[in-house]
Amino acid sequence: MLGRLLPSPHHPARLVVFGFGAATLLGALLLMLPVAAESRTVTAPITALFTAVSAVCVTGLVVVDTESHWSLFGELVILGLIQIGGLGIMTLASLLGLLVARRMGLRMQLIAASETKTLRLGESRRVVIGVIRMSLAVEAVTALVLSLRFVFGYDQGGWRGVYLGVFHAISAYNNAGFGLYQDNLMGFATDPWIIVPITAALVIGGLGFPVVFEVTRSLRRRARGRDHRWSLHTRITLTTYFALALVAVVAVIAFEWTNPGTLGPLGALQKLLVGGFHGFSPRTAGFNSVDVGAMHSSTLLVNDVLMFIGGGSAGTAGGIKVTTFALLAFVIVAEVRGEPTVHIMDRRLAAPVQRQAITVALLGVGAVVIGTLTLLTITGMDLDAVLFEVVSAFGTVGLSTGITADIPSSGQLVLIALMFLGRLGPITLATALALRDRGRRYELPEERPIVG
């Protein structure tokens, strides 16, 4: 009987969804326990479920203040869900990517032995061990820097400073955006010893394990005098990620330079620090060092685009991923030029990959549109705020203009669905599309309808 309820191992996408669903339900039950709340009372099921989904999907949207509502036990449950969600997503996404590569016959540089086209047990172990080592190493270094700053810079002596450092380090690396301060990181907006380590951690986690592994391996090989060429995936991810980040930083600083509610009161260097942080944070980190609700509509729209695109594949970031965005851009360029095939960085892009990118992007647009229309109907709030909230949930970002707690329970259920869909949808959908590639026994007569 149990075997019938569990998903088949031959359907890895279903297995991922089942695993994260089970973790979410367990987390919600733990958060409903009286010991999980500061008041020692039972937390409402919708609040516990929303928080558990937000933590497992490493989003960061909250309907209650994390530090004041949850007890130490509740905070540790949230921290555990964040770690499980981030680490599990990276591990499973990397393994699924390797599985897809084997099925499609591609040579993806995911692990040291990925020169072969086989998916062996040893390779799987190396992927898992590599992800865990990288995660713990980045979190440990970030936690050390943050803990020292909290202890010696803000008089958070004893274990409190260490706890703050560890919590925010794990939240940052996993791009969760959960904070133990009511105003998130607004109290540290101009402190580079807090902002810079958190930014570095969220960037490393958001790039994805395959990219970080390949870059570090390349540096080691070059240090030994051996040349190493980056894979197409790594080149696309790095180029697109930091190009979008540069555009985002410039846009935020330009649009908010004189805004009295955000960057206006700060000095020039402080504006650059805050603007730089908010250029990277919408890539699904979810931390904020200024009041997002006070931003101009133009800045909110820039954030909407960044949150929808997200970060790198097989990482802790959400969105449709920068590789999907880049592939679509190259497809458009090729079509405008009238070229019969799409070429990217000295490589030809396969037609099935183009269809997969278009499918993931358009389904993402559909989810955002439907979610926005639904929340507008339920809440009657302004379009700017509702669209921002929906894209933040779908992109698993966690940034908010401050309306999350005011959304009724039915609207929170919509956000729960969007967070779960946004976190697992692109991974499972892309994998399912690749693994279901099959030939057609016949073709119908060709006809060209009018386009445009």
Side-chain angles (χ1 to χ4, degrees), residues 45-79:
I46 184 65
T47 300
L49 179 63
F50 190 97
T51 305
V53 172
S54 184
V56 170
C57 296
V58 290
T59 303
L61 287 175
V62 294
V63 291
V64 292
D65 179 55
T66 303
E67 194 274 337
S68 61
H69 179 85
W70 304 109
S71 65
L72 176 61
F73 174 80
E75 292 173 4
L76 292 177
V77 170
I78 293 173
L79 196 63

PDB file of all heavy atoms in Angstrom, residues 45-79:
ATOM      1  N   PRO A  45      -3.098  27.304  11.775  1.00  0.00           N
ATOM      2  CA  PRO A  45      -2.582  26.411  10.720  1.00  0.00           C
ATOM      3  C   PRO A  45      -2.132  27.148   9.466  1.00  0.00           C
ATOM      4  O   PRO A  45      -1.097  26.797   8.888  1.00  0.00           O
ATOM      5  CB  PRO A  45      -3.773  25.483  10.438  1.00  0.00           C
ATOM      6  CG  PRO A  45      -4.564  25.474  11.703  1.00  0.00           C
ATOM      7  CD  PRO A  45      -4.414  26.851  12.268  1.00  0.00           C
ATOM      8  N   ILE A  46      -2.881  28.159   9.038  1.00  0.00           N
ATOM      9  CA  ILE A  46      -2.512  28.873   7.810  1.00  0.00           C
ATOM     10  C   ILE A  46      -1.201  29.614   8.009  1.00  0.00           C
ATOM     11  O   ILE A  46      -0.366  29.682   7.099  1.00  0.00           O
ATOM     12  CB  ILE A  46      -3.633  29.845   7.374  1.00  0.00           C
ATOM     13  CG1 ILE A  46      -3.278  30.502   6.055  1.00  0.00           C
ATOM     14  CG2 ILE A  46      -3.908  30.866   8.450  1.00  0.00           C
ATOM     15  CD1 ILE A  46      -3.188  29.571   4.887  1.00  0.00           C
ATOM     16  N   THR A  47      -0.976  30.154   9.208  1.00  0.00           N
ATOM     17  CA  THR A  47       0.279  30.865   9.496  1.00  0.00           C
ATOM     18  C   THR A  47       1.451  29.896   9.526  1.00  0.00           C
ATOM     19  O   THR A  47       2.521  30.172   8.966  1.00  0.00           O
ATOM     20  CB  THR A  47       0.182  31.600  10.839  1.00  0.00           C
ATOM     21  OG1 THR A  47      -0.895  32.548  10.791  1.00  0.00           O
ATOM     22  CG2 THR A  47       1.477  32.331  11.155  1.00  0.00           C
ATOM     23  N   ALA A  48       1.252  28.741  10.179  1.00  0.00           N
ATOM     24  CA  ALA A  48       2.316  27.740  10.234  1.00  0.00           C
ATOM     25  C   ALA A  48       2.627  27.193   8.847  1.00  0.00           C
ATOM     26  O   ALA A  48       3.797  27.019   8.483  1.00  0.00           O
ATOM     27  CB  ALA A  48       1.914  26.612  11.178  1.00  0.00           C
ATOM     28  N   LEU A  49       1.589  26.919   8.055  1.00  0.00           N
ATOM     29  CA  LEU A  49       1.799  26.396   6.710  1.00  0.00           C
ATOM     30  C   LEU A  49       2.503  27.413   5.830  1.00  0.00           C
ATOM     31  O   LEU A  49       3.429  27.068   5.084  1.00  0.00           O
ATOM     32  CB  LEU A  49       0.462  25.994   6.085  1.00  0.00           C
ATOM     33  CG  LEU A  49       0.521  25.449   4.655  1.00  0.00           C
ATOM     34  CD1 LEU A  49       1.336  24.162   4.612  1.00  0.00           C
ATOM     35  CD2 LEU A  49      -0.888  25.220   4.112  1.00  0.00           C
ATOM     36  N   PHE A  50       2.074  28.665   5.894  1.00  0.00           N
ATOM     37  CA  PHE A  50       2.698  29.718   5.087  1.00  0.00           C
ATOM     38  C   PHE A  50       4.176  29.844   5.437  1.00  0.00           C
ATOM     39  O   PHE A  50       5.032  29.926   4.543  1.00  0.00           O
ATOM     40  CB  PHE A  50       1.983  31.051   5.319  1.00  0.00           C
ATOM     41  CG  PHE A  50       2.395  32.139   4.378  1.00  0.00           C
ATOM     42  CD1 PHE A  50       1.648  32.423   3.250  1.00  0.00           C
ATOM     43  CD2 PHE A  50       3.537  32.903   4.614  1.00  0.00           C
ATOM     44  CE1 PHE A  50       2.016  33.430   2.368  1.00  0.00           C
ATOM     45  CE2 PHE A  50       3.925  33.904   3.737  1.00  0.00           C
ATOM     46  CZ  PHE A  50       3.154  34.165   2.612  1.00  0.00           C
ATOM     47  N   THR A  51       4.492  29.857   6.725  1.00  0.00           N
ATOM     48  CA  THR A  51       5.882  29.999   7.159  1.00  0.00           C
ATOM     49  C   THR A  51       6.712  28.793   6.735  1.00  0.00           C
ATOM     50  O   THR A  51       7.862  28.935   6.292  1.00  0.00           O
ATOM     51  CB  THR A  51       5.953  30.171   8.680  1.00  0.00           C
ATOM     52  OG1 THR A  51       5.132  31.282   9.075  1.00  0.00           O
ATOM     53  CG2 THR A  51       7.379  30.428   9.135  1.00  0.00           C
ATOM     54  N   ALA A  52       6.141  27.586   6.870  1.00  0.00           N
ATOM     55  CA  ALA A  52       6.874  26.378   6.488  1.00  0.00           C
ATOM     56  C   ALA A  52       7.160  26.348   4.990  1.00  0.00           C
ATOM     57  O   ALA A  52       8.276  26.017   4.570  1.00  0.00           O
ATOM     58  CB  ALA A  52       6.074  25.137   6.898  1.00  0.00           C
ATOM     59  N   VAL A  53       6.168  26.695   4.176  1.00  0.00           N
ATOM     60  CA  VAL A  53       6.378  26.734   2.727  1.00  0.00           C
ATOM     61  C   VAL A  53       7.415  27.786   2.370  1.00  0.00           C
ATOM     62  O   VAL A  53       8.299  27.563   1.536  1.00  0.00           O
ATOM     63  CB  VAL A  53       5.047  27.019   1.995  1.00  0.00           C
ATOM     64  CG1 VAL A  53       5.293  27.249   0.510  1.00  0.00           C
ATOM     65  CG2 VAL A  53       4.080  25.860   2.187  1.00  0.00           C
ATOM     66  N   SER A  54       7.320  28.947   2.995  1.00  0.00           N
ATOM     67  CA  SER A  54       8.273  30.021   2.719  1.00  0.00           C
ATOM     68  C   SER A  54       9.690  29.608   3.083  1.00  0.00           C
ATOM     69  O   SER A  54      10.648  29.970   2.392  1.00  0.00           O
ATOM     70  CB  SER A  54       7.874  31.282   3.496  1.00  0.00           C
ATOM     71  OG  SER A  54       8.721  32.367   3.189  1.00  0.00           O
ATOM     72  N   ALA A  55       9.836  28.829   4.159  1.00  0.00           N
ATOM     73  CA  ALA A  55      11.167  28.385   4.582  1.00  0.00           C
ATOM     74  C   ALA A  55      11.698  27.270   3.689  1.00  0.00           C
ATOM     75  O   ALA A  55      12.839  27.324   3.231  1.00  0.00           O
ATOM     76  CB  ALA A  55      11.123  27.922   6.042  1.00  0.00           C
ATOM     77  N   VAL A  56      10.888  26.253   3.429  1.00  0.00           N
ATOM     78  CA  VAL A  56      11.334  25.139   2.593  1.00  0.00           C
ATOM     79  C   VAL A  56      11.634  25.608   1.175  1.00  0.00           C
ATOM     80  O   VAL A  56      12.577  25.150   0.540  1.00  0.00           O
ATOM     81  CB  VAL A  56      10.275  24.017   2.585  1.00  0.00           C
ATOM     82  CG1 VAL A  56      10.616  22.969   1.539  1.00  0.00           C
ATOM     83  CG2 VAL A  56      10.193  23.361   3.948  1.00  0.00           C
ATOM     84  N   CYS A  57      10.812  26.517   0.669  1.00  0.00           N
ATOM     85  CA  CYS A  57      11.025  27.055  -0.676  1.00  0.00           C
ATOM     86  C   CYS A  57      12.021  28.203  -0.665  1.00  0.00           C
ATOM     87  O   CYS A  57      12.183  28.891  -1.690  1.00  0.00           O
ATOM     88  CB  CYS A  57       9.696  27.522  -1.276  1.00  0.00           C
ATOM     89  SG  CYS A  57       8.511  26.192  -1.523  1.00  0.00           S
ATOM     90  N   VAL A  58      12.679  28.430   0.485  1.00  0.00           N
ATOM     91  CA  VAL A  58      13.673  29.494   0.690  1.00  0.00           C
ATOM     92  C   VAL A  58      13.215  30.804   0.049  1.00  0.00           C
ATOM     93  O   VAL A  58      13.931  31.423  -0.741  1.00  0.00           O
ATOM     94  CB  VAL A  58      15.070  29.078   0.178  1.00  0.00           C
ATOM     95  CG1 VAL A  58      15.646  28.019   1.076  1.00  0.00           C
ATOM     96  CG2 VAL A  58      15.059  28.565  -1.241  1.00  0.00           C
ATOM     97  N   THR A  59      12.014  31.223   0.446  1.00  0.00           N
ATOM     98  CA  THR A  59      11.438  32.456  -0.090  1.00  0.00           C
ATOM     99  C   THR A  59      11.685  33.632   0.837  1.00  0.00           C
ATOM    100  O   THR A  59      12.364  34.585   0.488  1.00  0.00           O
ATOM    101  CB  THR A  59       9.929  32.279  -0.329  1.00  0.00           C
ATOM    102  OG1 THR A  59       9.715  31.170  -1.199  1.00  0.00           O
ATOM    103  CG2 THR A  59       9.333  33.532  -0.953  1.00  0.00           C
ATOM    104  N   GLY A  60      11.107  33.591   2.043  1.00  0.00           N
ATOM    105  CA  GLY A  60      11.320  34.672   2.995  1.00  0.00           C
ATOM    106  C   GLY A  60      10.118  35.538   3.251  1.00  0.00           C
ATOM    107  O   GLY A  60      10.175  36.427   4.104  1.00  0.00           O
ATOM    108  N   LEU A  61       9.009  35.308   2.537  1.00  0.00           N
ATOM    109  CA  LEU A  61       7.786  36.038   2.837  1.00  0.00           C
ATOM    110  C   LEU A  61       7.244  35.572   4.187  1.00  0.00           C
ATOM    111  O   LEU A  61       7.227  34.373   4.479  1.00  0.00           O
ATOM    112  CB  LEU A  61       6.731  35.814   1.756  1.00  0.00           C
ATOM    113  CG  LEU A  61       6.969  36.503   0.411  1.00  0.00           C
ATOM    114  CD1 LEU A  61       5.905  36.082  -0.592  1.00  0.00           C
ATOM    115  CD2 LEU A  61       6.967  38.021   0.572  1.00  0.00           C
ATOM    116  N   VAL A  62       6.797  36.501   5.021  1.00  0.00           N
ATOM    117  CA  VAL A  62       6.301  36.142   6.347  1.00  0.00           C
ATOM    118  C   VAL A  62       5.007  36.883   6.631  1.00  0.00           C
ATOM    119  O   VAL A  62       4.799  38.006   6.158  1.00  0.00           O
ATOM    120  CB  VAL A  62       7.332  36.476   7.448  1.00  0.00           C
ATOM    121  CG1 VAL A  62       8.572  35.618   7.301  1.00  0.00           C
ATOM    122  CG2 VAL A  62       7.710  37.953   7.423  1.00  0.00           C
ATOM    123  N   VAL A  63       4.135  36.241   7.392  1.00  0.00           N
ATOM    124  CA  VAL A  63       2.886  36.873   7.817  1.00  0.00           C
ATOM    125  C   VAL A  63       2.945  37.263   9.283  1.00  0.00           C
ATOM    126  O   VAL A  63       2.065  37.963   9.778  1.00  0.00           O
ATOM    127  CB  VAL A  63       1.689  35.935   7.571  1.00  0.00           C
ATOM    128  CG1 VAL A  63       1.443  35.781   6.077  1.00  0.00           C
ATOM    129  CG2 VAL A  63       1.915  34.564   8.201  1.00  0.00           C
ATOM    130  N   VAL A  64       3.967  36.781   9.994  1.00  0.00           N
ATOM    131  CA  VAL A  64       4.228  37.202  11.376  1.00  0.00           C
ATOM    132  C   VAL A  64       5.718  37.483  11.501  1.00  0.00           C
ATOM    133  O   VAL A  64       6.532  36.920  10.769  1.00  0.00           O
ATOM    134  CB  VAL A  64       3.809  36.115  12.397  1.00  0.00           C
ATOM    135  CG1 VAL A  64       2.297  35.942  12.414  1.00  0.00           C
ATOM    136  CG2 VAL A  64       4.491  34.789  12.099  1.00  0.00           C
ATOM    137  N   ASP A  65       6.069  38.355  12.432  1.00  0.00           N
ATOM    138  CA  ASP A  65       7.480  38.689  12.625  1.00  0.00           C
ATOM    139  C   ASP A  65       8.230  37.482  13.171  1.00  0.00           C
ATOM    140  O   ASP A  65       7.819  36.870  14.166  1.00  0.00           O
ATOM    141  CB  ASP A  65       7.603  39.870  13.593  1.00  0.00           C
ATOM    142  CG  ASP A  65       9.047  40.247  13.850  1.00  0.00           C
ATOM    143  OD1 ASP A  65       9.775  40.503  12.878  1.00  0.00           O
ATOM    144  OD2 ASP A  65       9.449  40.256  15.028  1.00  0.00           O
ATOM    145  N   THR A  66       9.318  37.121  12.521  1.00  0.00           N
ATOM    146  CA  THR A  66      10.046  35.905  12.874  1.00  0.00           C
ATOM    147  C   THR A  66      10.601  35.965  14.290  1.00  0.00           C
ATOM    148  O   THR A  66      10.464  35.018  15.072  1.00  0.00           O
ATOM    149  CB  THR A  66      11.198  35.675  11.876  1.00  0.00           C
ATOM    150  OG1 THR A  66      10.672  35.602  10.551  1.00  0.00           O
ATOM    151  CG2 THR A  66      11.938  34.379  12.190  1.00  0.00           C
ATOM    152  N   GLU A  67      11.212  37.079  14.660  1.00  0.00           N
ATOM    153  CA  GLU A  67      11.885  37.171  15.947  1.00  0.00           C
ATOM    154  C   GLU A  67      10.907  37.258  17.113  1.00  0.00           C
ATOM    155  O   GLU A  67      11.144  36.653  18.166  1.00  0.00           O
ATOM    156  CB  GLU A  67      12.817  38.394  15.938  1.00  0.00           C
ATOM    157  CG  GLU A  67      13.824  38.427  17.079  1.00  0.00           C
ATOM    158  CD  GLU A  67      13.261  39.049  18.342  1.00  0.00           C
ATOM    159  OE1 GLU A  67      12.293  39.831  18.239  1.00  0.00           O
ATOM    160  OE2 GLU A  67      13.766  38.729  19.446  1.00  0.00           O
ATOM    161  N   SER A  68       9.798  37.988  16.967  1.00  0.00           N
ATOM    162  CA  SER A  68       8.880  38.190  18.080  1.00  0.00           C
ATOM    163  C   SER A  68       7.827  37.094  18.204  1.00  0.00           C
ATOM    164  O   SER A  68       7.370  36.797  19.308  1.00  0.00           O
ATOM    165  CB  SER A  68       8.180  39.550  17.947  1.00  0.00           C
ATOM    166  OG  SER A  68       7.413  39.614  16.753  1.00  0.00           O
ATOM    167  N   HIS A  69       7.424  36.487  17.093  1.00  0.00           N
ATOM    168  CA  HIS A  69       6.357  35.477  17.177  1.00  0.00           C
ATOM    169  C   HIS A  69       6.897  34.100  17.530  1.00  0.00           C
ATOM    170  O   HIS A  69       6.301  33.397  18.353  1.00  0.00           O
ATOM    171  CB  HIS A  69       5.604  35.392  15.846  1.00  0.00           C
ATOM    172  CG  HIS A  69       4.512  34.353  15.856  1.00  0.00           C
ATOM    173  ND1 HIS A  69       3.250  34.617  16.338  1.00  0.00           N
ATOM    174  CD2 HIS A  69       4.499  33.048  15.466  1.00  0.00           C
ATOM    175  CE1 HIS A  69       2.497  33.522  16.240  1.00  0.00           C
ATOM    176  NE2 HIS A  69       3.233  32.558  15.718  1.00  0.00           N
ATOM    177  N   TRP A  70       8.005  33.712  16.928  1.00  0.00           N
ATOM    178  CA  TRP A  70       8.504  32.354  17.118  1.00  0.00           C
ATOM    179  C   TRP A  70       9.504  32.290  18.271  1.00  0.00           C
ATOM    180  O   TRP A  70      10.298  33.203  18.482  1.00  0.00           O
ATOM    181  CB  TRP A  70       9.161  31.836  15.845  1.00  0.00           C
ATOM    182  CG  TRP A  70       8.270  31.869  14.643  1.00  0.00           C
ATOM    183  CD1 TRP A  70       8.369  32.696  13.577  1.00  0.00           C
ATOM    184  CD2 TRP A  70       7.123  31.039  14.405  1.00  0.00           C
ATOM    185  NE1 TRP A  70       7.359  32.443  12.673  1.00  0.00           N
ATOM    186  CE2 TRP A  70       6.578  31.423  13.150  1.00  0.00           C
ATOM    187  CE3 TRP A  70       6.508  30.001  15.111  1.00  0.00           C
ATOM    188  CZ2 TRP A  70       5.451  30.824  12.619  1.00  0.00           C
ATOM    189  CZ3 TRP A  70       5.390  29.399  14.580  1.00  0.00           C
ATOM    190  CH2 TRP A  70       4.866  29.802  13.351  1.00  0.00           C
ATOM    191  N   SER A  71       9.441  31.203  19.012  1.00  0.00           N
ATOM    192  CA  SER A  71      10.405  30.953  20.080  1.00  0.00           C
ATOM    193  C   SER A  71      11.718  30.465  19.471  1.00  0.00           C
ATOM    194  O   SER A  71      11.845  30.329  18.252  1.00  0.00           O
ATOM    195  CB  SER A  71       9.854  29.898  21.037  1.00  0.00           C
ATOM    196  OG  SER A  71       9.713  28.648  20.358  1.00  0.00           O
ATOM    197  N   LEU A  72      12.679  30.170  20.324  1.00  0.00           N
ATOM    198  CA  LEU A  72      13.949  29.638  19.834  1.00  0.00           C
ATOM    199  C   LEU A  72      13.724  28.318  19.096  1.00  0.00           C
ATOM    200  O   LEU A  72      14.324  28.078  18.042  1.00  0.00           O
ATOM    201  CB  LEU A  72      14.917  29.430  21.003  1.00  0.00           C
ATOM    202  CG  LEU A  72      16.269  28.791  20.647  1.00  0.00           C
ATOM    203  CD1 LEU A  72      17.029  29.664  19.662  1.00  0.00           C
ATOM    204  CD2 LEU A  72      17.098  28.553  21.915  1.00  0.00           C
ATOM    205  N   PHE A  73      12.826  27.493  19.641  1.00  0.00           N
ATOM    206  CA  PHE A  73      12.515  26.235  18.968  1.00  0.00           C
ATOM    207  C   PHE A  73      11.912  26.492  17.593  1.00  0.00           C
ATOM    208  O   PHE A  73      12.290  25.848  16.606  1.00  0.00           O
ATOM    209  CB  PHE A  73      11.541  25.414  19.820  1.00  0.00           C
ATOM    210  CG  PHE A  73      11.053  24.158  19.142  1.00  0.00           C
ATOM    211  CD1 PHE A  73      11.842  23.020  19.127  1.00  0.00           C
ATOM    212  CD2 PHE A  73       9.807  24.124  18.527  1.00  0.00           C
ATOM    213  CE1 PHE A  73      11.399  21.851  18.508  1.00  0.00           C
ATOM    214  CE2 PHE A  73       9.361  22.970  17.901  1.00  0.00           C
ATOM    215  CZ  PHE A  73      10.156  21.828  17.891  1.00  0.00           C
ATOM    216  N   GLY A  74      10.984  27.438  17.511  1.00  0.00           N
ATOM    217  CA  GLY A  74      10.364  27.772  16.236  1.00  0.00           C
ATOM    218  C   GLY A  74      11.369  28.314  15.238  1.00  0.00           C
ATOM    219  O   GLY A  74      11.323  27.966  14.046  1.00  0.00           O
ATOM    220  N   GLU A  75      12.292  29.157  15.702  1.00  0.00           N
ATOM    221  CA  GLU A  75      13.313  29.699  14.815  1.00  0.00           C
ATOM    222  C   GLU A  75      14.248  28.604  14.306  1.00  0.00           C
ATOM    223  O   GLU A  75      14.661  28.625  13.147  1.00  0.00           O
ATOM    224  CB  GLU A  75      14.107  30.781  15.550  1.00  0.00           C
ATOM    225  CG  GLU A  75      13.303  32.038  15.866  1.00  0.00           C
ATOM    226  CD  GLU A  75      14.065  33.013  16.738  1.00  0.00           C
ATOM    227  OE1 GLU A  75      15.252  32.739  17.030  1.00  0.00           O
ATOM    228  OE2 GLU A  75      13.487  34.036  17.127  1.00  0.00           O
ATOM    229  N   LEU A  76      14.561  27.649  15.185  1.00  0.00           N
ATOM    230  CA  LEU A  76      15.422  26.543  14.759  1.00  0.00           C
ATOM    231  C   LEU A  76      14.713  25.641  13.752  1.00  0.00           C
ATOM    232  O   LEU A  76      15.347  25.108  12.835  1.00  0.00           O
ATOM    233  CB  LEU A  76      15.863  25.722  15.973  1.00  0.00           C
ATOM    234  CG  LEU A  76      16.831  26.437  16.944  1.00  0.00           C
ATOM    235  CD1 LEU A  76      17.137  25.547  18.139  1.00  0.00           C
ATOM    236  CD2 LEU A  76      18.120  26.837  16.226  1.00  0.00           C
ATOM    237  N   VAL A  77      13.399  25.470  13.911  1.00  0.00           N
ATOM    238  CA  VAL A  77      12.642  24.711  12.918  1.00  0.00           C
ATOM    239  C   VAL A  77      12.696  25.418  11.566  1.00  0.00           C
ATOM    240  O   VAL A  77      12.933  24.790  10.525  1.00  0.00           O
ATOM    241  CB  VAL A  77      11.175  24.540  13.366  1.00  0.00           C
ATOM    242  CG1 VAL A  77      10.325  23.978  12.226  1.00  0.00           C
ATOM    243  CG2 VAL A  77      11.095  23.625  14.580  1.00  0.00           C
ATOM    244  N   ILE A  78      12.500  26.732  11.577  1.00  0.00           N
ATOM    245  CA  ILE A  78      12.573  27.510  10.343  1.00  0.00           C
ATOM    246  C   ILE A  78      13.963  27.407   9.726  1.00  0.00           C
ATOM    247  O   ILE A  78      14.108  27.224   8.511  1.00  0.00           O
ATOM    248  CB  ILE A  78      12.208  28.986  10.620  1.00  0.00           C
ATOM    249  CG1 ILE A  78      10.741  29.101  11.013  1.00  0.00           C
ATOM    250  CG2 ILE A  78      12.509  29.862   9.406  1.00  0.00           C
ATOM    251  CD1 ILE A  78      10.330  30.492  11.461  1.00  0.00           C
ATOM    252  N   LEU A  79      14.985  27.501  10.559  1.00  0.00           N
ATOM    253  CA  LEU A  79      16.360  27.409  10.063  1.00  0.00           C
ATOM    254  C   LEU A  79      16.626  26.032   9.457  1.00  0.00           C
ATOM    255  O   LEU A  79      17.273  25.917   8.402  1.00  0.00           O
ATOM    256  CB  LEU A  79      17.337  27.680  11.203  1.00  0.00           C
ATOM    257  CG  LEU A  79      18.781  28.005  10.816  1.00  0.00           C
ATOM    258  CD1 LEU A  79      18.830  29.290  10.021  1.00  0.00           C
ATOM    259  CD2 LEU A  79      19.653  28.114  12.065  1.00  0.00           C
TER     260      LEU A  79
END
